[in-house]
Amino acid sequence: MLLSAAGGEKIQPADGTAELLEEEKYIALTFDDGPRRGTTDRLLDGLKERGASATFFLVGEEIEANQDLVKRMRAEGHQVGNHTWSHVRLADAAPEKIAEEIGKTEAALETLLGESGYWLRPPYGFITEGTEEQIDVPMVKWSVDPRDWESRDTEKVVKAVLQYAKPNSIILLHDIYPTSVDAALQIVDTLQREGYWFVTVEELLALNGIVPQAGAMYRSGNP
């Protein structure tokens, strides 16, 4: 697995196993609710220019019209995840509805990308208590939430993230808003200057020696 560093170069962990170097600072950018043409593609351009990896949790009903963007995410080293088919609130959903929403998006991604086991971010970060056992992939929440969907103010979002971001943080943003794309790229520029490396959530956990478990919710890269 290749990790993206400041300046765009790639590093290959020795023997194919990621190791966390004590002096290095790793962080994960995550994006929900896309893909959306006009914002997601601009974000991908900016991440590529900066050599930064990210994790995208996709709404299933948006995949068909944006297949090229989803393929590009995978080709450029980003992690692709499941954000349900229609952004339904899983915290209030019956087990059958949970299975349908997750399963349809999983199937769409499997058909398009040819793999399986896409990690899940439940909309709003919650799932009906007691239904975790029906989830056969890891789940991802976040540790930094600037509420970019609410303010849609680039400056406020950047300030909020930089105030709380620290090594092993998982940052929540939404790639469907132009202001969030602008904020994300400013955040990458600032934190790269401070020595941070932007990696996927899967890479972040591996770097910290965490073996992800099905049905477990991960909020940061801290063991």
Side-chain angles (χ1 to χ4, degrees), residues 3 12 28 32 44-45 47 49 57 60 69 75 115 117 124 129 151 158 163 166 174 180:
L3 306 181
Q12 176 68 50
D32 286 7
L44 289 170
D45 289 342
L47 294 174
E49 290 172 5
F57 292 99
L69 294 177
E115 299 180 6
Y124 313 103
E129 187 175 355
S151 72
V158 171
Q163 180 179 358
K166 56 187 177 182
H174 298 78
S180 296

Side-chain angles (χ1 to χ4, degrees), residues 13-211:
D15 301 322
T17 302
E19 294 182 5
L20 182 62
L21 303 178
E22 187 173 343
E23 68 273 15
E24 299 289 4
K25 296 186 287 187
Y26 295 95
I27 199 163
L29 270 179
T30 67
F31 297 92
D32 286 7
D33 296 1
R36 177 169 292 178
R37 201 164 301 280
T39 52
T40 303
D41 45 353
R42 186 163 65 87
L43 174 60
L44 289 170
D45 289 342
L47 294 174
K48 185 176 182 180
E49 290 172 5
R50 292 160 174 79
S53 295
T55 302
F56 291 85
F57 292 99
L58 307 183
V59 173
E61 61 187 9
E62 301 295 335
I63 291 173
E64 183 175 359
N66 296 285
Q67 293 184 28
D68 57 323
L69 294 177
V70 180
K71 290 179 178 178
R72 182 180 171 188
M73 290 171 187
R74 171 56 56 83
E76 294 181 359
H78 304 293
Q79 183 178 355
V80 176
N82 186 333
H83 200 44
T84 73
W85 184 258
S86 60
H87 204 269
V88 68
R89 186 183 294 273
L90 297 185
D92 303 319
E96 296 78 11
K97 184 63 173 178
I98 293 172
E100 177 188 4
E101 285 281 329
I102 296 171
K104 287 179 67 176
T105 301
E106 171 74 19
L109 290 172
E110 288 181 8
T111 299
L112 182 61
L113 300 179
E115 299 180 6
S116 62
Y118 293 92
W119 293 18
L120 173 69
R121 171 168 281 164
Y124 313 103
F126 297 100
I127 192 165
T128 302
E129 187 175 355
T131 61
E132 297 87 354
E133 65 271 12
Q134 78 180 82
I135 308 302
D136 60 2
V137 294
M139 295 187 288
V140 181
K141 200 170 180 180
W142 54 82
S143 55
V144 179
D145 177 9
R147 299 177 69 87
D148 59 320
W149 55 271
E150 183 176 55
S151 72
R152 303 196 193 181
D153 183 310
T154 297
E155 184 177 352
K156 286 183 179 179
V157 173
V158 171
K159 183 177 180 180
V161 170
L162 296 181
Q163 180 179 358
Y164 294 105
K166 56 187 177 182
N168 296 322
S169 290
I170 296 177
I171 300 167
L172 169 63
L173 292 168
H174 298 78
D175 54 313
I176 61 174
Y177 304 118
T179 49
S180 296
V181 172
D182 293 338
L185 299 180
Q186 289 185 35
I187 290 162
V188 172
D189 288 340
T190 300
L191 292 181
Q192 282 187 336
R193 287 194 296 267
E194 295 179 9
Y196 279 86
W197 298 55
F198 284 84
V199 298
T200 68
V201 174
E202 184 176 10
E203 290 170 335
L204 186 67
L205 298 188
L207 284 160
N208 284 281
I210 299 171
V211 179

